Amino acid sequence: MANCEAIIVADSANVRLQPNTTSGVVGVLLLGNRAPAHQVTDPDAQNFRWVRVTVPANGLQGWVRGDLVQLSGDCADLGTLSTTVTPSNVPTSTTTATNTTQTQPIVLTGDCQAEVSVAAANVRREPTSASGILGLILRGTKFAVKSVSTPDSGGFCWCCLDFQGQTGWIRQDLLRTTGDCLDSASHETTTSTTTTTSTTTTTTTTSTTSGDCQAVVGLPKINVRAQAASTSGLVGSATAGETMTVKDVTAAQADGFRWVKVNFRGQDAFVRSDLVTLIGNCAALTGDDRLAAPVAATITQGFKAGHPGMDFGATIGMELRIAAPATVFRAHTCTKCTAQQPNIKPKNEAERNQIFSDPGWGFGYGNHIIVRHEFQDLPRSIQEQILLNGGKTSNAVFVLYAHLSRMDVQVNQKIAAGMVIGATGHTGNSTGPHLHIEVAVGDQWGTAKKVHPMLLFAGPNITT
């Protein structure tokens, strides 16, 4: 099957010899990686579909779980791939016991995650089976683990999560823990015998020189290790907003991750590449000349069906800098957005359609800017990807920046690389402060083809 690709939408995905979770691994693909897709299975006993792909790094073929990828391109012959599994024996709107509406937890890209491994799991108010139920989440749902309880009277530990703004608990034996987790008893300290530095919640910024390659932490806390391996001892923890000078970036290691060598509070150390955003002059270290991420913030929603862009969990007022020359195609002011009521959330489909056709709400985007990058002004690797995705040398690349609090440019203005065009905000159809971006390739914005933003941007995951 030519021209059909599987784009990884999880932090990492194992590629296995056979379409089951017990089979041997032939490779590891990371968030944003693209792999040629050849076949899609019917749902297995656990209700998962599997996609047969070719691993670009070694040319081997294997199988990756369907809920970890998004198919892109000419994939009609493979059939429809549903990445949302709803078992037939699980209610889709309410729980039988409590009649609570089924909702999904806030999913964060963090250093420790859990994934529901059974058909469905109850989220309870307290870490006990006797506690009331907040809601229900289904197999494959991932969430950031905030803490782990001590064993209850039945001998079970419980994982704590942020569930629609409330604290919830799920029994640990119903979950599969993934990621770079801290000590399972507390998620705050480690049992490693390696000497660790004292850590505090105060954000520390390493002295850097303008133009240096820097790693910025956008998560509440990440592990910093002595060597480039998940099994290496900790030297401390870096907290949200901390900036470290980057000295090197490794190739993919045995654990499947690239690691960033940083100056961590005066000493050399390593952080996993998918847990930080690289900004500044990093191409010589990464071998990646794509544009720098628009903001140093964590991705909170990826590119998928129904969401043809990417969301960054940016706080209000973060500056947006353009990394390549461009022309402002649109700078639209949301006339219905005010300081007191900066956003709107549709209550139903009819209201949603009305908002997205209303220029007063910025067509749902609030204050937003669209810039046009000419083909010849983009790095060679991006030009090659445009052509591989069916584009032409005459095409332009359009980038939409939505929900802004401030716009510093006007239509038809020429902007140079490094120029600030505005600041992040919370306007339009927005449930909270964030930056939404969309990338499209074509001759005009209205007819251009929406593509994965990681075709253009190198962050926050620095892998290709």
Side-chain angles (χ1 to χ4, degrees):
M1 169 56 61
N3 300 323
C4 180
E5 291 184 312
I7 303 173
I8 305 302
V9 295
D11 287 349
S12 62
N14 288 325
V15 183
R16 299 183 179 275
L17 285 168
Q18 300 297 330
N20 60 70
T21 55
T22 60
S23 181
V25 176
V26 299
V28 177
L29 298 174
L30 303 182
L31 176 67
N33 283 173
R34 293 171 175 263
H38 313 288
Q39 182 182 350
V40 178
T41 70
D42 292 327
D44 62 14
Q46 284 74 45
N47 218 10
F48 288 116
R49 294 177 184 265
W50 291 78
V51 181
R52 184 165 61 88
V53 300
T54 297
V55 182
N58 55 28
L60 298 177
Q61 288 197 4
W63 298 85
V64 62
R65 231 173 56 192
D67 61 317
L68 304 179
V69 303
Q70 173 72 48
L71 292 187
S72 174
D74 184 9
C75 304
D77 290 349
L78 301 188
T80 301
L81 174 65
S82 174
T83 58
T84 304
V85 179
T86 305
S88 59
N89 62 334
V90 176
T92 58
S93 60
T94 61
T95 61
T96 303
T98 63
N99 199 34
T100 11
T101 301
Q102 175 195 320
T103 52
Q104 297 296 313
I106 297 172
V107 180
L108 301 174
T109 303
D111 62 345
C112 183
Q113 291 187 352
E115 177 183 346
V116 178
S117 59
V118 295
N122 286 324
V123 183
R124 297 188 179 272
R125 298 181 185 277
E126 302 294 338
T128 169
S129 298
S131 179
I133 297 174
L134 288 174
L136 179 77
I137 56 178
L138 304 180
R139 175 189 283 122
T141 301
K142 290 184 177 181
F143 58 86
V145 176
K146 297 173 64 179
S147 63
V148 178
S149 73
T150 56
D152 61 15
S153 58
F156 293 108
C157 292
W158 293 73
C159 288
C160 180
L161 70 153
D162 186 347
F163 186 76
Q164 294 297 305
Q166 300 184 66
T167 297
W169 299 84
I170 299 180
R171 227 172 61 189
Q172 194 173 38
D173 61 314
L174 306 180
L175 306 169
R176 180 185 301 111
T177 303
T178 60
D180 187 13
C181 295
L182 299 174
D183 183 79
S184 60
S186 66
H187 286 261
E188 294 294 337
T189 58
T190 177
T191 56
S192 170
T193 56
T194 301
T195 302
T196 61
T197 61
S198 173
T199 59
T200 67
T201 57
T202 302
T203 299
T204 303
T205 303
T206 303
S207 176
T208 57
T209 303
S210 176
D212 283 350
C213 181
Q214 302 170 24
V216 181
V217 180
L219 307 171
K221 181 183 290 186
I222 66 171
N223 286 327
V224 182
R225 298 189 178 273
Q227 301 295 330
S230 299
T231 55
S232 176
L234 295 181
V235 298
S237 296
T239 54
E242 188 163 350
T243 302
M244 298 166 283
T245 299
V246 176
K247 294 188 171 184
D248 197 7
V249 179
T250 74
Q253 301 297 291
D255 57 9
F257 294 104
R258 298 178 77 178
W259 290 78
V260 181
K261 184 178 181 180
V262 296
N263 178 356
F264 177 69
R265 302 173 191 172
Q267 62 179 312
D268 289 347
F270 292 85
V271 294
R272 242 174 50 191
S273 66
D274 60 319
L275 303 181
V276 293
T277 297
L278 295 192
I279 60 175
N281 185 17
C282 301
L285 300 177
T286 63
D288 189 342
D289 63 355
R290 288 177 296 171
L291 305 187
V295 289
T298 306
I299 290 178
T300 55
Q301 186 171 187
F303 181 86
K304 57 186 178 181
H307 188 258
M310 185 174 286
D311 289 348
F312 294 82
T315 57
I316 294 176
M318 296 180 70
E319 290 186 336
L320 292 177
R321 291 182 181 274
I322 296 297
T327 303
V328 178
F329 174 78
R330 180 189 297 172
H332 186 99
T333 300
C334 176
T335 58
K336 293 183 178 180
C337 299
T338 68
Q340 290 72 38
Q341 186 184 7
N343 64 86
I344 186 170
K345 183 65 178 175
K347 300 180 180 65
N348 50 53
E349 189 66 21
E351 187 171 302
R352 182 182 185 278
N353 292 337
Q354 189 275 326
I355 292 169
F356 277 75
S357 62
D358 187 349
W361 284 112
F363 309 103
Y365 294 124
N367 297 324
H368 64 277
I369 296 170
I370 301 175
V371 302
R372 175 187 173 115
H373 296 284
E374 301 302 331
F375 183 91
Q376 64 270 18
D377 292 332
L378 295 170
R380 180 176 297 275
S381 68
I382 297 176
Q383 294 178 355
E384 292 173 352
Q385 285 298 311
I386 292 172
L387 298 177
L388 287 173
N389 280 271
K392 305 174 183 177
T393 57
S394 59
N395 289 157
V397 175
F398 295 88
V399 185
L400 177 146
Y401 301 89
H403 311 303
L404 306 181
S405 62
R406 190 184 83 231
M407 298 187 294
D408 300 339
V409 293
Q410 55 189 357
V411 175
N412 295 325
Q413 181 177 343
K414 301 292 184 181
I415 48 181
M419 181 176 173
V420 175
I421 63 169
T424 57
H426 180 25
T427 57
N429 179 32
S430 172
T431 57
H434 74 290
L435 172 69
H436 173 84
I437 64 171
E438 294 179 13
V439 176
V441 176
D443 296 323
Q444 292 295 328
W445 167 253
T447 57
K449 176 186 176 183
K450 298 288 178 65
V451 298
H452 199 298
M454 294 188 79
L455 178 149
L456 184 67
F457 295 105
N461 191 310
I462 60 173
T463 57
T464 57

